[in-house]
C-alpha cells in the first residue's frame, strides 16, 4: 500500500500542503518514496505543562510542530528519523490518559491521544513504519535513548539531594542523562553525550560518577522510576528553558 502511494499525485499534494503549513522556516519534506501515513493533534508533555502539538507520521520520519492556526499554520518544526525511534505505552495517570513514550537517542518525550483508539492506531502505525524501515535497511533497533525529562511540576525539591527547595532564585535544572529535576549544586558537572550534543551537557553528580566509572546503564532510570523518586507534596551555555524542544516548553 505504501509503495503504491509513494509516487501518487494525491500523496505529493498532501505532503506539499504540510510543507506550506510550516512555511519557509520548515525543512523540505518531499523526497522520492516518502509517504504521508497520517496526522493529528497529540498532547506533548513539555517541561512546564502538557501542550497540544500537531504531528505528521511519514513512512520514514515523524514531524511535529506548534499549532499557530489549526490546519493552516505551524511553526518550530521538529523532524525525527523513525529508524531511531522506539515507543512504549505508559499507564494512565490522572488527567493524562492514552499516552506513550517516543524515545530516540537524541530526545525522548511522552505524548497523549484523545482516545484509547487513537493511541492504538498511532502506536500501531509507528511500529509498522519502524519495522518496515529496519527490515529494508537490515539495521537493528536502537537500544540507546535519551532520558524522558521529569516535568518541573513533579519536583518541589531537588530529586538528588532531597534538600534544596526550588524558588524563583534557586532554579530547576534537568540532568540530561537521567532526566531528574535537580538543583544547581547537584548538577554543576558536564559530560559529553554524543547522541545528544557535540558539546558537554549538564548532568547530575550521581550520573557523572557512574559515567566516569563506565557504569552508564545504571544511571538511566525509567519514567516510572523517576516519578516514584520525586517528592509529591539548564556544557550547553543556555538555560534549561532554551534547550527544551522550543523556548516555550
Amino acid at each position: 500500500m505504501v509503495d503504491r502511494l509513494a509516487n501518487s499525485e494525491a500523496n505529493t499534494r498532501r505532503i506539499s500542503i504540510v510543507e506550506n503549513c510550516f512555511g519557509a522556516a520548515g525543512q523540505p519534506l518531499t523526497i522520492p518514496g516518502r509517504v504521508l501515513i497520517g496526522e493529528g493533534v497529540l498532547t506533548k508533555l513539555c517541561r512546564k505543562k502538557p501542550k497540544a502539538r500537531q504531528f505528521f507520521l511519514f513512512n520514514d520520519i515523524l514531524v511535529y510542530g506548534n499549532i499557530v492556526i489549526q490546519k493552516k499554520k505551524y511553526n518550530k518544526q521538529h523532524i525525527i528519523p523513525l529508524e531511531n525511534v522506539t515507543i512504549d505505552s505508559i499507564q494512565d495517570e490522572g488527567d493524562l490518559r492514552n499516552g506513550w513514550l517516543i524515545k530516540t537517542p537524541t530526545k525522548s518525550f511522552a505524548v497523549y491521544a484523545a482516545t484509547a483508539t487513537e493511541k492504538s492506531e498511532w502506536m500501531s502505525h509507528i511500529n509498522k513504519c519502524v519495522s518496515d524501515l529496519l527490515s529494508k535497511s537490515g539495521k537493528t533497533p536502537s537500544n540507546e535513548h535519551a532520558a524522558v525529562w521529569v516535568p518541573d511540576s513533579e519536583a518541589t525539591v531537588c530529586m538528588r539531594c532531597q534538600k534544596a527547595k526550588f524558588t524563583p532564585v534557586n532554579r530547576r535544572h534537568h540532568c540530561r542523562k537521567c532526566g531528574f529535576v535537580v538543583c544547581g549544586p547537584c548538577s554543576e558537572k558536564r559530560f559529553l553525550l554524543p547522541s545528544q550534543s557535540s558539546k558537554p551537557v549538564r548532568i547530575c553528580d550521581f550520573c557523572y560518577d557512574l559515567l566516569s566509572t563506565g557504569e552508564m546503564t545504571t544511571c538511566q532510570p525509567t519514567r516510572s522510576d523517576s516519578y516514584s523518586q520525586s517528592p509529591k507534596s539548564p556544557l550547553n551555555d543556555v538555560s534549561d528553558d532554551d534547550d527544551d524542544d522550543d523556548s516555550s516548553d
Side-chain angles (χ1 to χ4, degrees):
M1 178 65 174
V2 170
D3 291 336
R4 290 202 303 271
L5 289 172
N7 298 312
S8 71
E9 290 185 11
N11 178 64
T12 301
R13 186 165 57 251
R14 291 175 68 203
I15 295 178
S16 177
I17 290 172
V18 176
E19 286 181 329
N20 291 336
C21 285
F22 278 105
Q27 295 295 314
L29 299 173
T30 303
I31 65 170
R34 177 169 289 164
V35 175
L36 177 58
I37 305 297
E39 62 183 89
V41 177
L42 298 173
T43 298
K44 180 177 177 290
L45 192 60
C46 300
R47 178 185 172 184
K48 299 295 184 183
K49 61 181 180 180
K51 297 179 181 179
R53 297 287 185 257
Q54 183 74 27
F55 281 78
F56 300 91
L57 176 64
F58 296 82
N59 60 328
D60 62 333
I61 58 174
L62 182 66
V63 178
Y64 71 93
N66 294 8
I67 301 169
V68 180
I69 303 174
Q70 184 61 47
K71 296 186 179 297
K72 291 185 178 181
K73 185 177 181 181
Y74 310 110
N75 63 14
K76 298 190 182 293
Q77 182 191 70
H78 298 269
I79 300 176
I80 302 173
L82 283 180
E83 66 178 9
N84 297 326
V85 168
T86 57
I87 59 176
D88 289 322
S89 178
I90 51 181
Q91 294 183 340
D92 294 345
E93 190 174 328
D95 293 334
L96 296 174
R97 307 176 65 82
N98 310 312
W100 67 97
L101 298 178
I102 296 174
K103 303 186 296 184
T104 79
T106 304
K107 185 177 182 63
S108 302
F109 54 90
V111 292
Y112 297 85
T115 67
T117 299
E118 272 190 47
K119 170 185 174 177
S120 177
E121 290 177 349
W122 270 102
M123 293 189 70
S124 176
H125 286 306
I126 292 173
N127 277 327
K128 178 67 165 58
C129 290
V130 173
S131 176
D132 288 348
L133 278 174
L134 294 177
S135 177
K136 289 179 180 179
S137 68
K139 296 181 180 179
T140 56
S142 175
N143 292 322
E144 181 184 4
H145 62 83
V148 178
W149 284 18
V150 175
D152 285 2
S153 60
E154 295 294 329
T156 56
V157 300
C158 175
M159 296 175 68
R160 285 304 182 194
C161 69
Q162 299 286 320
K163 296 177 182 178
K165 292 185 177 181
F166 296 121
T167 67
V169 175
N170 187 29
R171 296 179 57 245
R172 292 171 172 82
H173 301 280
H174 278 85
C175 171
R176 271 51 174 183
K177 182 60 182 174
C178 67
F180 277 19
V181 184
V182 291
C183 64
C186 284
S187 59
E188 292 180 339
K189 296 182 174 66
R190 304 288 187 271
F191 200 92
L192 182 62
L193 301 177
S195 62
Q196 295 189 38
S197 175
S198 60
K199 300 178 181 179
V201 294
R202 179 189 293 272
I203 61 173
C204 67
D205 292 346
F206 178 78
C207 287
Y208 182 85
D209 291 341
L210 292 176
L211 287 164
S212 298
T213 57
E215 301 177 42
M216 294 183 66
T217 56
T218 312
C219 72
Q220 181 68 66
T222 64
R223 180 175 170 79
S224 58
D225 290 339
S226 300
Y227 275 54
S228 66
Q229 295 181 43
S230 68
K232 291 297 183 182
S233 53
L235 190 74
N236 280 345
D237 294 325
V238 292
S239 71
D240 284 357
D241 288 329
D242 292 333
D243 58 12
D244 199 354
D245 62 55
D246 66 50
S247 58
S248 66
D249 284 0

